[in-house]
Amino acid sequence: MSSLVAQLLLLARTHSAADAPISRQRIALDQLARTVTADWITRSIERRMDLGFEADDGPRHIDGDPVLLREMLGNLIDNALKHCAPGAVVTVSVHGENGSVVLAVSDSGPGIPTDERTRVFERFYRLPDSTVPGTGLGLSIVQDVARLHEAVVEIGTGPDERGTRVAVRFPAR
């Protein structure tokens, strides 16, 4: 219940931020992502998963709200850990690409079917065969936070054509 309340409060915050500008500051996204990933290590160990972090030569800076960005990345990591079986590999990465900064979470889990990849951003939507507890708000919040940062969320296949890769592409500044 507390998780649902926290998700709903965050969703409300992102919607109210849509009407007013978010507080922006210069952030080294690679450092923020490394810290958030480290915060999830204990949970990944409990679930017997390999959670790692990769970054190219940085730092990779963006202008944004660090609290919202932490929540966004936390939702992505939480989804990966929830939907993968023990032994899975989950990797958080930050890299530059064509002048943009890309934050991605890749996993070796079951993946998201191609025809469901747009629906998973709908509030309260869950994959039809999902048995994993959750609210169906995580990716909706990810998309809202990305929009507030003028970023785009892309869902694809993970490494070795297995699993899922969710990438958030921040615009070049």
Side-chain angles (χ1 to χ4, degrees), residues 78-94:
D78 185 45
N79 275 354
L81 295 178
K82 279 182 184 175
H83 292 279
C84 291
V89 175
V90 177
T91 304
V92 176
S93 63
V94 177

Side-chain angles (χ1 to χ4, degrees), residues 2-172:
S2 65
S3 175
L4 175 60
V5 170
Q7 292 281 307
L8 288 170
L9 288 172
L10 183 57
L11 188 64
R13 182 170 178 216
T14 62
H15 281 277
S16 68
D19 298 329
I22 60 172
S23 113
R24 291 183 185 264
Q25 57 185 289
R26 190 105 171 118
I27 298 167
L29 187 60
D30 50 329
Q31 291 174 5
L32 182 134
R34 183 184 312 272
T35 300
V36 173
T37 303
D39 293 343
W40 285 86
I41 293 292
T42 301
R43 175 106 27 103
S44 72
I45 292 169
E46 289 169 356
R47 294 181 181 190
R48 299 188 326 264
M49 293 181 196
D50 179 1
L51 174 61
F53 177 79
E54 298 174 350
D56 58 9
D57 292 334
R60 296 293 175 184
H61 288 98
I62 64 167
D63 293 330
D65 181 317
V67 173
L68 291 176
L69 293 168
R70 289 178 72 82
E71 291 296 329
M72 178 184 73
L73 180 54
N75 277 338
L76 291 173
I77 295 170
D78 185 45
N79 275 354
L81 295 178
K82 279 182 184 175
H83 292 279
C84 291
V89 175
V90 177
T91 304
V92 176
S93 63
V94 177
H95 65 278
E97 187 177 294
N98 299 326
S100 297
V101 176
V102 178
L103 167 68
V105 176
S106 302
D107 67 59
S108 61
I112 298 173
T114 305
D115 58 339
E116 296 285 343
R117 290 181 183 170
T118 53
R119 295 220 49 213
V120 294
F121 293 111
E122 296 173 13
R123 279 184 235 139
F124 302 107
Y125 183 77
R126 296 173 39 82
L127 293 176
D129 59 348
S130 179
T131 58
V132 176
T135 62
L137 289 172
L139 288 175
S140 176
I141 291 169
V142 166
Q143 187 172 55
D144 286 347
V145 172
R147 281 187 191 137
L148 290 171
H149 289 85
E150 300 167 11
V152 176
V153 183
E154 305 160 344
I155 296 181
T157 305
D160 301 324
E161 299 302 314
R162 295 178 36 219
T164 302
R165 179 177 187 266
V166 180
V168 183
R169 184 176 307 277
F170 295 88

